[in-house]
Amino acid sequence: MFQRIEMRLSGSGGQGVILAAIIFADAALEDGLNAIQTQSYGPEARGGASKAEVIISKDEIKYPKVVKNDILLSLTQKSYDKYIASLDKDGILVVDESVDVKEDVPYKVYKLPILSTAIDKIGTHMVANIVSVGVLYAIMGEGVINIETLKSSISNRVPPVTVEKNIRAFEEGIKLIRG
Amino acid sequence: MFQRIEMRLSGSGGQGVILAAIIFADAALEDGLNAIQTQSYGPEARGGASKAEVIISKDEIKYPKVVKNDILLSLTQKSYDKYIASLDKDGILVVDESVDVKEDVPYKVYKLPILSTAIDKIGTHMVANIVSVGVLYAIMGEGVINIETLKSSISNRVPPVTVEKNIRAFEEGIKLIRG
Amino acid sequence: MAKNKKSLVLNVESCKGCNICIAFCPKKVLELKNDKCVIARPDDCINCGMCELRCPDNAIYLVGGNKDE
Amino acid sequence: MAKNKKSLVLNVESCKGCNICIAFCPKKVLELKNDKCVIARPDDCINCGMCELRCPDNAIYLVGGNKDE
Amino acid sequence: MSNEKNYKLIQGNEACVEGALAAGMKFFAGYPITPSTEVAEISAQKLPQVGGKFIQMEDEIASMAAIIGGSLAGLKSMTATSGPGFSLMQENLGYASIAEIPCVIVNVQRGGPSTGLPTSPAQGEVMQAKWGTHGDHPIIALTPNSVQETYEYTIKAFNLAEKYRTPVIMLMDETVGHMREKLTYKDPSEIEIIDRKKPTCKPDEYLAYKADEDMIPPMASFGEGYRYHVTGLTHDETGFPTNNNKISGELITRLVNKVEKNVDDMAYFEEYEMEDAEVVIIAFGGVSRSAKTAIDELRKSGKKVGLFRPITIWPMLEKQIDKVAEQAKEIYVAEMNLGQYFYEVDRIAGKKCPVKKINKVTGELITPNEIIEAVNGGK
Amino acid sequence: MSNEKNYKLIQGNEACVEGALAAGMKFFAGYPITPSTEVAEISAQKLPQVGGKFIQMEDEIASMAAIIGGSLAGLKSMTATSGPGFSLMQENLGYASIAEIPCVIVNVQRGGPSTGLPTSPAQGEVMQAKWGTHGDHPIIALTPNSVQETYEYTIKAFNLAEKYRTPVIMLMDETVGHMREKLTYKDPSEIEIIDRKKPTCKPDEYLAYKADEDMIPPMASFGEGYRYHVTGLTHDETGFPTNNNKISGELITRLVNKVEKNVDDMAYFEEYEMEDAEVVIIAFGGVSRSAKTAIDELRKSGKKVGLFRPITIWPMLEKQIDKVAEQAKEIYVAEMNLGQYFYEVDRIAGKKCPVKKINKVTGELITPNEIIEAVNGGK
Amino acid sequence: MNFSEMTEKYYRTDKLPHIWCPGCGHGTLLNTVVRAIDKLGLNKDEVCIVSGIGCSSRAPGYLDFNTLHTTHGRALAFATGIKHANPNLHVIVITGDGDASAIGGNHLIHAARRNIDITTICFNNNIYGMTGGQYSPTTPTGDFGTTAPYGNTDSTFDLCNLVQGAGATYVARGTAYHAQAMEKLVVNAISNKGFSFVEGLSLCPTYYGRKNKKGDAVKMHEFLKDNCIDKKVVDKKPEMGENKIIIGEMYNNPKPEYTENYKVVIDKFQK
Amino acid sequence: MNFSEMTEKYYRTDKLPHIWCPGCGHGTLLNTVVRAIDKLGLNKDEVCIVSGIGCSSRAPGYLDFNTLHTTHGRALAFATGIKHANPNLHVIVITGDGDASAIGGNHLIHAARRNIDITTICFNNNIYGMTGGQYSPTTPTGDFGTTAPYGNTDSTFDLCNLVQGAGATYVARGTAYHAQAMEKLVVNAISNKGFSFVEGLSLCPTYYGRKNKKGDAVKMHEFLKDNCIDKKVVDKKPEMGENKIIIGEMYNNPKPEYTENYKVVIDKFQK
Ligand SMILES: Cc1ncc(C[n+]2csc(CCOP(=O)(O)OP(=O)(O)O)c2C)c(N)n1
Ligand SMILES: Cc1ncc(C[n+]2csc(CCOP(=O)(O)OP(=O)(O)O)c2C)c(N)n1
Ligand code: SF4
Ligand code: SF4
Ligand code: SF4
Ligand code: SF4
Ligand code: SF4
Ligand code: SF4
Ligand SMILES: [Mg+2]
Ligand SMILES: [Mg+2]
């Protein structure tokens, strides 16, 4: 069973990876786990690469930053290029299908139509981050965070009028893994 | 012969005791002596008691303030009251005749019509400080500072148009002692 | 009028001898002596209040007189 | 006129897809595709210069043409 | 806290506002600056809800001035800033010290000097917090290392400010200010709140700057009927300026002593794995968390390493550091600067054991590995 | 110096201007404040006479900014202030540090904190001079103790500023600033003048912040054809902002090292009666003169007392203080504050011998007697 | 109430005489402020006087109200904190030309912009008195100061224009000579619910007067008497304003006040 | 010279694209400044661009002149030092509404008062862009910002009024939409020997636009198009100015310049 997961969610500024990270951290708390969420800003982050980290752990979390990156999400080529080196060799990489990835790598790779799912299924690229939450949830499995907690965390953190859309996005994300 | 003299010149703000002190220090330099001149300002010095110090010495002057006050000049009651306690028992006190002084004191006392001399002989109280320079010079004697040096120092430091008046004031000061 | 006439008071401690009241007194009631104001001719005072109005030090003022005036 | 017509250049690297040139082009020459401006109908361009004037990123501009004009 | 559950995932900066509100903050004046801006933003949002006042001033000088005004008018007051703004606040911070005005100044440290690295963590203002304003003066500064602590120590910061009538600095770093973690709210009944001591005498007997035995003068608010004078000039017990040398010396000495002599009352610190520690790491704020992880690792390899973490970073915890030096064979001071707290540790502990530096000014948190390597003689 | 005699009775503040002019000062921007105002007044009078520029700015923040601008435009620049103004200059002082702009800041110390005792001497800004601005940064500060030294060390201050491309602080105190003593002018041919290093490359090859071996980048003036960029953000060799962590760390480290590693080149100090001294007094500025008188007296009674007087107060003279500690049985640090330089002396020397404080914050110069009593165990 | 009773009631008489030089205009102007407060019948406990640093800024220390002597130039920022925290207080700032318009210029324009209910009285003597006679932003071009040994080359601030441009709702100029008129301007200024600014032309015989050969305090009063003209007169006959200093009410145009606007926000949550 | 050549000649092209968000008005305004400089044919080595801190203040970094990016609000104080030290330089300050009028207000009014030959271009987007959308002194009352969650209760600065009241000799307002007119105003401003101020209404779709539901960059341009009216028109038909933003030349009234006045003093001693 899991003891600690260190995730890094990356994309371009405005794709909402920070919110995705917050949703995980939030849900983890509700499930009685420890969680910490951080991000790196740049003064030039507008449009540039954006990064958010979440650590979820059964133990107290001391050092708050990712050391052993278990899961890396990259929604853009830029962010993949920037952060791939730090992914743990036993880790998991999740990228949008538009990203070119290296072959012959030790870690597991999921290349998925995240952005297009958001646009095609929900009608807006704005929910790509929540599709990603679904994807990551499905990959991690129930063992880490409860699906209901995650859903209620989504509902609490997105603008009220968009809750329904986002829950659908979440479910579409799950489908990308579970079919 | 003298090795070191520590003078304190006091009066009310505007009486020019600082200038008097500068004139002594200036002249001392010209005579090849060491000299240092300091003063205490107060934010409230306008109209209040004003104090200037000069140390003249054949040796290097380290501590720049008066410790053993050899000569105290007080043109006003207020300044006499404030500084008399620090006069050395072997020292010399010079006060304007308007100042009430303690009797039975170890130091030597000169009570002189300095202010009235300035007004009566030169026609302005503005030169009371230079009258004082004359008085102090006469008390100390040639052994310390040369009369000509002192005169040229006065000439250099007072406004050009008032040189003659001030030289006369100086001489009137000398007369107060030498008659 | 006489019964209502205010009297002029000088607080010598406060006076700094700036000469302002003296210069602006329309009746030349005041004089400067030894760097202080002096009420030289109190009887000439017409209670105009210019002195107290302009004294920077509240050193001179009128008291008494008819309150209603 | 034709010989003096300037040609429209788009620096794709610089374009941030803000839509301003597109919206203010009087002849609807431009379009937004994949968050970038595209010169969709170059022949319709009348060289009015509105696009280059308002592009915040110097990403679109006219070159060539009669210098004297 | 109207939500039923008593915890929440929030940022350090938000926890700071929650702590301030719990302590009774009713006035905030500030000027935005990364990475402290959320403190102002959340104050702007929450203060009117509790009848409090927010104001965005024209700059940091004015912000510091305004909170002194707010405090004099009787409201518990706070401002928040980062490096450049903290430099600008220094003159009026000194005013708060000499005029004995309770207030809290949050400084969320970022990379310096000057504009530096606005969005990156650093701990470059440890010494400035103590020495940034001219002249001798008292300063209390606290450094939390988590969201929870930010909440709790902001409450304590207000309490110390009120109790000692002095400005208190919350010396945070970007790491702590921007991380999100669980905050468990305290029940109001569990929170100790200290309010400034008020005069009990009649207004015409009030000597605004006459200290009681505890070195602290009671403080009336403007408008309460105690008409008194406040000045940044050296003053006597009445609060009016004086040039009297003796009184002047006594004033400055009292001001500094009311903090320095009461250090035991405000000595917050944590000891981690210290029982048998032979090597001691001294770290605070974000870096102390790296240190803990490093210690966990080092302990696995058998090294007896412990952490001494000052939370009260000023006044200096001389007694505690001295005790650490008694026990330690080696001390490392790890800071996101080129060595600041190090100097004081070296002064106190250096007489008893070697004190070494672990520094970093790249705009990143020191990692556990860097500490491990340093302790293992890697550098 | 058009007068025939080469000496004059002048105030320390005036000597400071004479030194600055001798060093080539051509630009002064300032805002009046007691007890430094004469520096501005005399600059206003003398600069136009030599084709230089004076400007009275709206405040001290602007004054500090203006001298940075003046220096960038190629003129040797200075400002002068006292405590409150020094606090206000801190932000832009940090800018001068990171942007490596040569300039001289005179701080004539008066009683603090806040408005304090405006006309009285103090030495309350020893630590502020080093730590007053946010973030790690280099600082050089010199403390003359006489009118003659004020002249000479103002020249050196300009030279160090120009050589190391860094702000240099003349840390004076009211005693020295306002005393009148003899100043003997130097013949221009005897005065060593250092000018900033200029680029020798072509303009398009100029990397404005690429340091030579000596850690110092050559500096072009605005308007000379080298069009370059200057920023207070962390930057790379080109002078443009970067967030690269490695480059950022290297920049700050280089800035601090160019001063710290060159301490031997700027280590000015005086030893008085040190040959056989067992008790050493460490003092600077006005107080060092009291110490000398005290030592003369103490020697008369057979005590082997000496003075170590740092003139360079920052960077810290570690080597020299360590040597003093080797020799001394006891060290006293005498300062007109509640203990500032003491902390660094205690850190360095305290490992080898006891270090004690002699302090005074009454607005008066420490007297020889007070030092004598302290050394004799009077307190 | 006569002048003597006024002194007793409003001054801290044990602090008198004040530190001002003989003939300093600040004393006269301060009296006008005191009389205005008396005229308005303000409760002493609800009056708060705030100042910066300078000769003029020493004023609050002599007055028996809640008084605050702050740092140079910052009085309005402190005052803003006080007023915002406790809008019941009548907050009056007494400042100098240097304090208000040199180092304090930014706080002046922002207090004006906010239209916060603070009355600012600036004792303008065209010089930095406290520090010994340096020229200030209001020193006339060409005049001398210790830092303008060859005559001031700076242009001169018109403070009334400045604060009006910044948004003040009451702006006026009086003088120490025209003490009764000044008193009325201060009454109106305090009565204005919003930011009010009254420039009081003062005189510094010690520095400005001496440096510029303007004669003694009496001469300087006479200068004010001879060279000022009321705005109302000039509005009718503009030619009379030539080479004169315009005094009187410059601008009076109330608009919503800062603390009242803010109260609306708070009140939303108080139901 | 066409726009492409202009970019090549005056921009540091290796620093592009700039950090500004898509549609940010600052880019358009910066181009107007560059074109104005080109029109005047200034020597690049003699042009010095100075800024403070903010999105707008990032401008100098992109321009191939002597460029100085200073501390927040202080650009004009640095610029004053440069200009006074070397009056041959054409000194242009590019600043933001926050930089120029909040923290930098004092330097703004004093540079205006001195009438020093510096041209200040203020990119006014009614918000603090760089720090993420706090309201600024120019944010309209009632509008939202992250620190004005219930609507801004502050009054709004009219920057042109302010600098005119402070003594500037050339004052104008343009917008990013009216780019050609803006260019001309900048040409006139630089040509004025004295302190010139041009407020350029910019737009921040990212923060001001989003917070205030003003739509995207295009919508915000349209707003400028629809809501601005030239002063010349309003001067003739005042009723047309109602509820409009007045643009164009506000004030143009040369007077002696600071560095030239000072030169007279220096010249006295150069004979
Ligand atoms: C930060 C700071 N800078 C400078 C000073 C010095 N200073 C004190 S008062 C003053 C000028 C006062 O001028 P003004 O406001 O016109 O008042 P006045 O003395 O003329 O009445 C100055 C420059 C200070 N106290 N603090
Ligand atoms: C002393 C200081 N205070 C605050 C900041 C933070 N800060 C940076 S830019 C900025 C506001 C910029 O607003 P504006 O000038 O309008 O420029 P914009 O980003 O909107 O173009 C602030 C508050 C700072 N860098 N320095
Ligand atoms: S009241 Fe009038 S008449 Fe009487 S003394 Fe005063 S000024 Fe003169
Ligand atoms: S005006 Fe006042 S201070 Fe001046 S002389 Fe008259 S009474 Fe004295
Ligand atoms: S030049 Fe005019 S017509 Fe041509 S693309 Fe640009 S805006 Fe459209
Ligand atoms: S205006 Fe410029 S940046 Fe915007 S879409 Fe058009 S070309 Fe691209
Ligand atoms: S120096 Fe001038 S302003 Fe100050 S008290 Fe004296 S006369 Fe008044
Ligand atoms: S935040 Fe606003 S002002 Fe800044 S670059 Fe983006 S759009 Fe422009
Ligand atoms: Mg003044
Ligand atoms: Mg803006």
Side-chain angles (χ1 to χ4, degrees), chain E residues 31-34 37 40-42 44-49 54-61 88 110 114-115 118, chain H residues 53 69-72 74 98-99 101-104 128 130-137 146-150 154:
Chain E
Y31 188 78
I33 184 165
T34 309
T37 307
E41 290 172 337
I42 299 162
Q45 187 199 326
K46 301 215 161 172
L47 274 170
Q49 299 176 357
F54 168 87
I55 187 169
Q56 187 169 294
M57 296 299 289
E58 51 273 23
D59 62 20
E60 290 87 349
I61 296 174
L88 289 171
R110 67 187 218 184
S114 195
T115 313
Chain H
I53 298 289
H69 178 230
T70 71
T71 48
H72 189 37
R74 316 302 173 189
D99 194 62
S101 81
I103 192 168
Y128 296 151
M130 179 61 95
T131 43
Q134 299 75 34
Y135 74 99
S136 91
T146 59
T147 45
Y150 311 114
D154 269 44

Side-chain angles (χ1 to χ4, degrees), chain H residues 26 54-56 95-99 122-130 134 136 138 202 204:
Chain H
H26 293 355
C55 293
S56 30
T95 177
D97 44 326
D99 194 62
C122 177
F123 293 180
N124 179 4
N125 55 10
N126 299 332
I127 204 90
Y128 296 151
M130 179 61 95
Q134 299 75 34
S136 91
T138 62
S202 185
C204 171

Side-chain angles (χ1 to χ4, degrees), chain H residues 234-254:
Chain H
V234 181
D235 281 349
K236 281 186 206 137
K237 303 190 183 175
E239 70 281 7
M240 291 193 65
E242 259 164 50
N243 296 317
K244 295 279 180 193
I245 301 167
I246 318 284
I247 57 175
E249 237 168 56
M250 302 289 154
Y251 186 75
N252 186 348
N253 203 357

